Amino acid sequence: MGHVRAFAVTVLALATLGVPAGLVWSLIAPRAPYALTGEGPVLADPATQSLIAADGWYAVITGALALACAVVAWNLARTRRLEVLLGLAAGGGLAAFVTYWVGTTFTLGAVTVEAQALGPGVKVVAGALELTAKGVLVTWPLLAVGMFGIMEAVVAYRESPLRRPYGEIERL
């Protein structure tokens, strides 16, 4: 039963962190400018970097949280390393989707739009926050599992009996 609890607590903790991560992403990520025309909304500035910047901010926020979660989880998981590692993978995936959903659902911060003059009577508005590169959704689980594995490998290497010279007596 303790195995399931360690996994479930890890998944729920990470999923819960997805809510503030999504709010922070919504607060600081730029939105692309769209011009409202008779044919519908059209990207006002095709050379805008806002679409890429939103992906970058998402990756930075979720990546930083992934590394922090991995360090905390590794330090707290004494005997349930495998369950916590699997929880980091599943919880990181769930947290990534929660972050995406919260960030695209709620609009926080000042939404300002700058675009070139498109002509008289054309209204320019901020577009919705979106990810153009869906691959950044794997940032959280990938970095969390990777960092956990690196920490485990470093400790396993330091404690390895193969590091001692042949014939050395182990000290207690």
Side-chain angles (χ1 to χ4, degrees), residues 98-115:
V98 169
T99 302
Y100 174 71
W101 181 80
V102 169
T104 56
T105 303
F106 301 101
T107 301
L108 298 179
V111 179
T112 58
V113 176
E114 294 179 14

Side-chain angles (χ1 to χ4, degrees), residues 18-19 21-23 25 55 58 62 94-106 129-132 134 136-137:
V19 174
L23 294 174
W25 181 50
D55 295 349
Y58 180 89
T62 57
L94 183 59
F97 282 107
V98 169
T99 302
Y100 174 71
W101 181 80
V102 169
T104 56
T105 303
F106 301 101
L129 186 59
E130 273 296 320
L131 286 177
T132 54
K134 300 288 190 221
V136 296
L137 287 170

Side-chain angles (χ1 to χ4, degrees), residues 17 21 27 34 40 58 70 74 86-90 106 115 129-130 152 155-156 166 168:
L17 283 175
L27 181 67
Y34 284 88
Y58 180 89
W74 188 87
L86 294 174
L88 281 174
F106 301 101
L129 186 59
E130 273 296 320
E152 189 65 27
V155 169
Y166 181 74
E168 182 179 306

